[in-house]
Amino acid sequence: MGLDAQVIAVGRFSQNVVSAMEYPAERYLGVEAGQTVVTNIFVAPQSSISYELANAFGVHALDLGRHHLDPERADLQKLESMFGEKDVAKFVLLQKNGFNFYYLPNA
């Protein structure tokens, strides 16, 4: 069975996080501060990358009870090698702004 996965972020919107959102800034013009927003941070389109992504957060890909991620456990170097500096910077910005992160497997 194949697996793809993503790490999503859920949190309160503010102008501080616009640069880390999935869509261009103009899409958020009507979003009020404090409203809940959801965005993809890391998208893994293949099984091997999906397993590595889970591992970078210290969880197993199909350990369904542990997919609310602890951002402090993230291996930033591993994530940067997999997804690049820009995506990791977005993750760090959202972490600093109190977002929650979830590993979402699609098996």
Side-chain angles (χ1 to χ4, degrees), residues 39-84:
T39 191
N40 285 304
I41 299 298
F42 305 113
V43 177
Q46 300 172 344
S47 293
S48 60
I49 299 169
S50 297
Y51 285 102
E52 285 184 55
L53 176 57
N55 183 263
F57 282 93
V59 299
H60 297 287
L62 295 174
D63 188 2
L64 302 177
R66 295 190 57 217
H67 287 166
H68 182 199
L69 302 173
D70 178 355
E72 297 295 325
R73 294 190 67 196
D75 183 336
L76 297 180
Q77 288 181 330
K78 184 172 191 166
L79 290 169
E80 191 171 309
S81 72
M82 294 170 61
F83 298 100

Side-chain angles (χ1 to χ4, degrees), residues 2-3 7 9 13 19 23 30 39 41-42 58 66-67 78-79 82-83 88 90-91 95-98 100 106:
L3 174 71
V7 168
F13 180 78
S19 65
Y23 299 107
T39 191
I41 299 298
F42 305 113
R66 295 190 57 217
H67 287 166
K78 184 172 191 166
L79 290 169
M82 294 170 61
F83 298 100
V88 172
K90 289 178 181 183
F91 168 75
Q95 177 187 8
K96 288 180 181 177
N97 281 274
N100 286 291
N106 303 299

Side-chain angles (χ1 to χ4, degrees), residues 13 15 17-32:
F13 180 78
Q15 288 301 312
V17 301
V18 170
S19 65
M21 294 286 97
E22 189 168 3
Y23 299 107
E26 59 268 10
R27 291 286 195 185
Y28 297 93
L29 291 176
V31 180
E32 295 180 22

